[in-house]
Amino acid sequence: MSKRKTPGNKPGMKPKWKHFLDIPNQPMPEMGLTPKIQVWKKNKSTLWHYPSAQKKYAVPVFLIYSLINTPLILDLSPGNSLIESFVNEGFDVYLLDFGSPGFEDGEISIDDYIVDYVQNGVKRALRHSGASEITVMGFCLGGTISAIYAAIADEPIKNLILSVTPIDFSSSQFFDQWQEALKEGTADFDDTIDIYQTIPASAVKYGIRLITSPVYLSPYLSLLNQADDEKYVQNWRRFNAWTNGHVPLSGAAAKQITKDLLIENRLVKGKFKVRGKKAKLSRIDANVLVVASKYDRLVPQEMIYPIMEQLTCKDKTYKVLESGHASKQYSGSLPSYLKEWLPERSSPIQ
Amino acid sequence: MAEKTDLYKGLKLLGSQKEQQLNEKLKSLLNNRSLLESVSDNAQLQVPRINRMQEASERMSIIMNYPTKKDVASVAKLVIQLEGKIDRLEEMLSSLEKNKHVKIEGSSSRGKKKSRGSSTEKEGNKKRILDFIHDSLLLSAQLPEVNGQRNTNV
């Protein structure tokens, strides 16, 4: 057990820097504690079911996280977990965890993820829950996948929630010269990807770090500043573990993201195809909530907002939060933007 | 104590400012088209070398009798294929069960009448399952091919 003083106690005698140096010796706090049941497994992917404490809504929530990171951020700790908030609020939750692809998964493309994993996962969730409709919620690249899926889905998607989801890749301002070289074909990494079959987790991590913050010092200074606050330290460590816990990206998916989304921006142009079927965003007929973050450096609003112009559904809402890409705090109940929007669209059980 | 707290706070503020400045500088330095192109060219140069090494390793594996990463991948793909087949079987069983429930409900409301249509449907389902099992057995007999060549090491 930690010897650190809790914030409520008498101020500790030990200086903060000593607490700070002691942190690596402390056991890692547990993560992902909300009770769950495995419903379905396909290759490395797992469909988890988080049963609601007391079911209040007939429409379950199906969560799709990004391909390059683990969904642990959705269930960091009791009291700071989006999944726990849904469950406490009376929603049945299903989470599709794509797992960590290996060498043998190098040929899994975005099309495969959408049809074989997401579509089949949604069918399983519908069958398991006995529900006649479902809410699909996607995060970051998982949101892009959710939007594409919703555009081709035959399943009854009642609500679609897209959280910090890149849609218009032409609006990306990062490394514009690199983008030009990729677009014009003077830089090409396809053959290299073919050798390794996946983009290794470390390459994904440092690639994201390069776009956002190549020098990564301020989180450690924040930790030093509050090193004597046990709760803060534990939350910091959990978040830091997630930040460093990238997963490899399958080669075919990486190539498709680069070509179809980054270079040709097909999704916004209505030319993205999933196994020959056009995925037009205007075909989405679910109620849609699009969420952006004001201080998001990875997916700025310019990459998100264009979906609002593409959607033709009657019920569409755009919400901007005062937060960064992933730095959201949950307090045991649903955040207000979800509480105001989702329950009334989820068939409350009388 | 307050002074010390201010020191840490000050350090955090100063560090964040400097970090932002450094990041901007680094990003503008790295945002160079020729830099990415030279990285790409170098990577392209490595590709044939790595391919030759991998081919040599494949040849060696025949003599040394060890499995290569491609062999392991082939086995994993077989497992994934099997998983897919079990999935499809599960789906069929589930739809059969669903149909059965619907039929039971239908027959209880209509009495004991048995239509010729329902027996045809039953026969159709039976045939579909048998065909599926037959196809699956045929598919299982085939090993996945790697780069167009059948892998003999599996």
Side-chain angles (χ1 to χ4, degrees), chain A residues 17 40 43 124 127 175-178 180 184 186 188 191 211-215 217-218 221-222 225, chain B residues 8-9 12 15 19 23 27 30-33 37 40 43-44 50 76-77 80 83 87 90-91 94:
Chain A
W17 65 268
W40 177 60
N43 193 5
R124 286 277 169 160
R127 197 193 306 160
F175 294 92
D176 55 329
Q177 292 213 24
W178 289 17
E180 269 176 35
E184 287 165 25
T186 51
D188 183 4
D191 293 339
I211 292 172
T212 53
S213 187
V215 177
L217 185 69
S218 54
L221 293 175
S222 298
N225 186 39
Chain B
Y8 289 116
K9 256 189 190 164
K12 185 190 154 190
E19 181 192 271
N23 280 336
K27 281 194 233 179
L30 290 169
N31 187 17
N32 183 337
R33 191 184 169 127
E37 284 168 350
S40 165
Q44 291 284 357
I50 298 171
K77 280 176 187 167
I80 296 163
E83 225 178 30
D87 252 16
E90 267 182 13
E91 259 170 48
S94 153

Side-chain angles (χ1 to χ4, degrees), chain A residues 108-321:
Chain A
I108 303 178
S109 63
I110 297 289
D111 291 20
D112 300 329
Y113 275 120
I114 289 168
V115 177
D116 297 338
Y117 294 77
V118 174
Q119 192 160 33
N120 284 339
V122 168
K123 280 180 192 167
R124 286 277 169 160
L126 279 166
R127 197 193 306 160
H128 184 263
S129 61
S132 55
E133 290 174 305
I134 200 159
T135 294
V136 174
M137 184 174 189
F139 302 83
C140 192
L141 195 57
T144 315
I145 288 174
S146 306
I148 299 170
Y149 162 60
I152 59 143
D154 298 320
E155 290 68 45
I157 303 174
K158 185 165 190 189
N159 306 304
L160 175 68
I161 305 171
L162 305 174
S163 183
V164 289
T165 294
I167 296 291
D168 184 356
F169 289 78
S170 68
S171 307
S172 168
Q173 298 300 315
F174 300 115
F175 294 92
D176 55 329
Q177 292 213 24
W178 289 17
Q179 286 189 41
E180 269 176 35
L182 286 169
K183 280 176 189 169
E184 287 165 25
T186 51
D188 183 4
F189 295 93
D190 284 4
D191 293 339
T192 315
I193 292 172
D194 285 342
I195 285 177
Y196 299 104
Q197 289 294 308
T198 58
I199 311 272
S202 57
V204 172
K205 178 182 161 183
Y206 291 113
I208 298 291
R209 189 72 52 86
L210 190 66
I211 292 172
T212 53
S213 187
V215 177
Y216 193 68
L217 185 69
S218 54
Y220 294 94
L221 293 175
S222 298
L223 179 66
L224 174 64
N225 186 39
Q226 285 178 264
D228 54 351
D229 181 341
E230 179 87 18
K231 201 177 167 192
Y232 179 87
V233 170
Q234 296 225 344
N235 279 334
W236 187 96
R237 292 190 75 190
R238 288 186 181 105
F239 188 78
N240 190 53
W242 171 79
T243 308
N244 290 306
H246 288 86
V247 289
L249 179 63
S250 83
K255 285 195 273 186
Q256 199 178 357
I257 290 167
T258 311
K259 188 172 179 278
D260 289 357
L261 296 176
L262 196 67
I263 297 176
E264 295 182 10
N265 202 20
R266 284 189 181 172
L267 188 54
V268 168
K269 290 178 184 166
K271 289 178 180 171
F272 195 97
K273 281 185 182 175
V274 179
R275 294 192 182 165
K277 198 174 176 183
K278 265 193 182 173
K280 285 195 169 187
L281 294 171
S282 56
R283 264 206 67 218
I284 298 173
D285 58 359
N287 309 315
V288 183
L289 171 65
V290 180
V291 183
S293 292
K294 201 173 174 181
Y295 308 110
D296 194 337
R297 285 179 291 176
L298 194 62
V299 187
Q301 286 191 59
E302 297 79 48
M303 291 180 80
I304 303 171
Y305 190 77
I307 194 173
M308 297 305 286
E309 290 151 10
Q310 300 274 330
L311 292 169
T312 52
C313 54
K314 285 177 192 162
D315 185 352
K316 54 178 181 179
T317 311
Y318 185 76
K319 187 94 188 164
V320 182
L321 306 180

